[in-house]
Amino acid sequence: MRKTVLGVLVSGRGSNLQAIIDAISADRLDAKIGLVISDNPDAHALQRVAGWNIPTVVVERKKYSSRQDFEERLAAEFALHHVDLILLAGFMRILSSHFISRFPGKIMNIHPALLPAFPGLNAQKQALDYGAKVAGCTVHFVDEGMDSGPIILQEAVPVLDNDTVETLSERILHVEHILYPRAVNLYCQQRLAVEGRRVRILPKMPKEGAKTQ
Ligand code: GRF
């Protein structure tokens, strides 16, 4: 079967992109990264792909007169590289509903909070400021709202009394790096069934040729 081709959108550090690359090279994720697009020419994420033979493109918003033109370029790049699934991995721009509706059920995001709590920016700080005792991360499909699409996987971490934004973010990030590749792999195995807001995880199919009772 043809491998699912991933298109990853990044803006900065790229540690989640790294987690996807690592999962693919460790055979924990049966997919191929067809393209990485950064809207930031200085993103550290771009350095992470060097040496992996992964096509990268920098598409800067300021080079386009409108958001629509910018997004047209993104869509054209994804089409050119035959991308099946778009991953937002620290991409710091909000995509228009026009763009999102072109890829229904084909865009995923990771958010550093247990949605629907603390959507938007600085989710870890929001959790600390609120006094939450549990934080975590969420992988979800992207819909037209802000971090509001159907939830695929979530995992919790404790908030400790002496946590700072940095220590809490670090604890969450560690779990993000496990959860995102796992969610993408479920998609690649066609094991995600979206029913309204709920995403059911289907059982693993026996491998072709494997003995069944
Ligand atoms: C992560 O915390 C992710 O949850 C959020 O943005 C951050 C990106 O980090 N959406 P990185 O660029 O993947 O290191």
Side-chain angles (χ1 to χ4, degrees):
M1 205 165 73
R2 174 182 171 269
K3 280 187 197 293
T4 303
V5 179
L6 310 174
V8 189
L9 280 168
V10 296
S11 297
R13 180 177 55 184
S15 69
N16 278 287
L17 168 63
Q18 183 75 59
I20 299 287
I21 294 172
D22 292 347
I24 292 174
S25 50
D27 281 332
R28 276 181 285 115
L29 170 55
D30 190 22
K32 173 184 158 185
I33 301 180
L35 177 67
V36 172
I37 301 183
S38 175
D39 65 333
N40 169 13
D42 302 320
H44 182 62
L46 291 169
Q47 295 174 30
R48 295 181 186 267
V49 245
W52 285 99
N53 199 19
I54 297 172
T56 58
V57 191
V58 175
V59 183
E60 286 182 89
R61 170 66 183 86
K62 67 177 184 207
K63 301 256 167 82
Y64 297 83
S65 55
S66 68
R67 173 155 89 163
Q68 195 176 341
D69 288 354
F70 168 72
E71 291 183 344
E72 280 304 325
R73 174 75 195 283
L74 300 183
E77 291 290 348
F78 288 137
L80 191 66
H81 290 85
H82 309 286
V83 165
D84 303 305
L85 177 67
I86 298 170
L87 303 180
L88 307 185
F91 185 60
M92 296 308 287
R93 291 192 176 274
I94 294 176
L95 295 163
S96 71
S97 41
H98 175 72
F99 181 88
I100 288 161
S101 64
R102 285 168 73 168
F103 303 96
K106 290 185 182 323
I107 311 178
M108 272 188 202
N109 182 38
I110 183 146
H111 182 74
L114 294 175
L115 292 169
F118 314 127
L121 287 177
N122 304 319
Q124 303 95 331
K125 181 172 187 306
Q126 290 186 56
L128 272 182
D129 289 351
Y130 195 86
K133 297 290 185 191
V134 175
C137 58
T138 304
V139 181
H140 63 95
F141 284 114
V142 173
D143 69 4
E144 278 87 350
M146 165 70 80
D147 299 322
S148 61
I151 291 171
I152 302 165
L153 292 177
Q154 289 188 301
E155 195 153 319
V157 303
V159 180
L160 305 181
D161 286 348
N162 56 355
D163 262 337
T164 60
V165 173
E166 288 70 32
T167 58
L168 179 60
S169 301
E170 185 64 37
R171 192 174 309 119
I172 296 172
L173 196 62
H174 179 73
V175 179
E176 290 184 37
H177 295 160
I178 298 165
L179 217 63
Y180 211 0
R182 193 180 287 164
V184 176
N185 198 42
L186 288 170
Y187 179 96
C188 296
Q189 294 175 331
Q190 301 179 359
R191 290 174 60 199
L192 299 177
V194 185
E195 294 164 6
R197 282 216 50 88
R198 298 183 71 175
V199 180
R200 267 195 315 129
I201 296 176
L202 306 175
K204 215 171 174 172
M205 296 283 276
K207 278 214 172 108
E208 244 171 71
K211 264 194 184 166
T212 47
Q213 298 268 332

